Amino acid sequence: MIKSHFTEALSTLEKFIAESDNFIKIENAGKLMVESIKNGGKIISCGNGGSMCDSMHFAEELTGRYRDNRKAIAAVSISDPSHLSCVGNDYGYDLVFSRYIEALGKKGDVLLAISTSGNSKNVINAIKAAQLQGMKVVGLTGKDGGAMKEMCDIEIKAPYSNYADRAQEIHIKVIHALIDFIENNL
């Protein structure tokens, strides 16, 4: 049973690699992010649960460092507990990400929206808020892409799996590839 986790992960990764369009999408997403940073913008990321952890990891690798020493890069994850609990209490959990984007997002910024189902209401609302602000949206999804597949400027979808963990394993590889691309192109 333990080994099956690794063989399933390998199978999912092989499916992702077999679709060369995925690498074009990652490169195009990286170009959007680099252009934003070069023009004084920032990258805002969001997601729920494990996807929030991925969102936080993405932002901290950019503001801190990934592999090499370099200047800090403008990125933030919507993960402040006081913001989340305030908005969740006052407006409902569906608006915890969109309220943040209304406050801090601006034209030229990029939203990295992460949802393994592609159907998280608060992530979808974040995308809508980002679009109203004139932001570009990169989505990391799974399953069939859900509602997000039609909303994102660039959607990068993990191969279909019954559980979120396989999608999350692809997402973290995509996140590391994006970070590396950003670092090497700034």
Side-chain angles (χ1 to χ4, degrees), residues 8-22:
E8 287 174 18
L10 178 61
S11 174
T12 303
L13 183 58
E14 286 172 339
K15 288 176 190 170
F16 187 84
I17 290 169
E19 297 215 18
S20 59
D21 193 40
N22 285 327

Side-chain angles (χ1 to χ4, degrees), residues 25-41:
K25 289 178 180 181
I26 294 169
E27 182 178 3
N28 289 338
K31 287 177 180 177
L32 277 181
M33 293 174 178
V34 167
E35 181 181 345
S36 174
I37 299 301
K38 283 184 175 180
N39 291 322

Side-chain angles (χ1 to χ4, degrees), residues 58-74 179-180 182-184 186:
F58 175 78
E60 59 86 6
E61 293 282 18
L62 292 174
T63 58
R65 85 173 241 198
Y66 180 56
R67 291 187 171 175
D68 297 315
N69 290 326
R70 45 112 176 113
K71 185 178 175 189
I73 298 169
I179 295 163
D180 192 56
I182 292 165
E183 280 192 352
N184 285 302
L186 281 178

Side-chain angles (χ1 to χ4, degrees), residues 30-181:
K31 287 177 180 177
L32 277 181
M33 293 174 178
V34 167
E35 181 181 345
S36 174
I37 299 301
K38 283 184 175 180
N39 291 322
K42 64 188 165 298
I43 306 164
I44 300 174
S45 55
C46 68
N48 295 293
S51 296
M52 177 180 281
C53 295
D54 287 345
S55 164
M56 293 166 65
H57 180 64
F58 175 78
E60 59 86 6
E61 293 282 18
L62 292 174
T63 58
R65 85 173 241 198
Y66 180 56
R67 291 187 171 175
D68 297 315
N69 290 326
R70 45 112 176 113
K71 185 178 175 189
I73 298 169
V76 63
S77 170
I78 307 173
S79 55
D80 177 350
S82 63
H83 167 81
L84 297 173
S85 64
C86 171
V87 175
N89 183 63
D90 293 350
Y91 295 98
Y93 195 68
D94 288 350
L95 300 181
V96 294
F97 301 139
S98 58
R99 291 287 295 183
Y100 190 97
I101 290 171
E102 286 175 31
L104 296 176
K106 65 179 181 11
K107 185 179 174 97
D109 289 345
V110 176
L111 172 65
L112 177 62
I114 309 171
S115 170
T116 58
S117 69
N119 289 316
S120 299
K121 278 192 174 178
N122 55 6
V123 176
I124 289 169
N125 288 335
I127 293 169
K128 291 176 183 175
Q131 290 167 334
L132 287 173
Q133 300 290 79
M135 296 171 60
K136 295 291 185 184
V137 178
V138 174
L140 301 184
T141 66
K143 300 215 180 266
D144 65 358
M148 284 175 57
K149 72 181 167 199
E150 302 297 328
M151 301 175 74
C152 299
D153 294 290
I154 298 171
E155 180 215 10
I156 303 165
K157 182 176 59 155
Y160 185 90
S161 61
N162 290 323
Y163 301 102
D165 55 340
R166 297 288 91 93
Q168 289 169 331
E169 290 162 357
I170 296 297
H171 289 175
I172 198 63
K173 286 168 182 40
V174 171
I175 285 167
H176 286 154
L178 284 170
I179 295 163
D180 192 56
F181 184 91

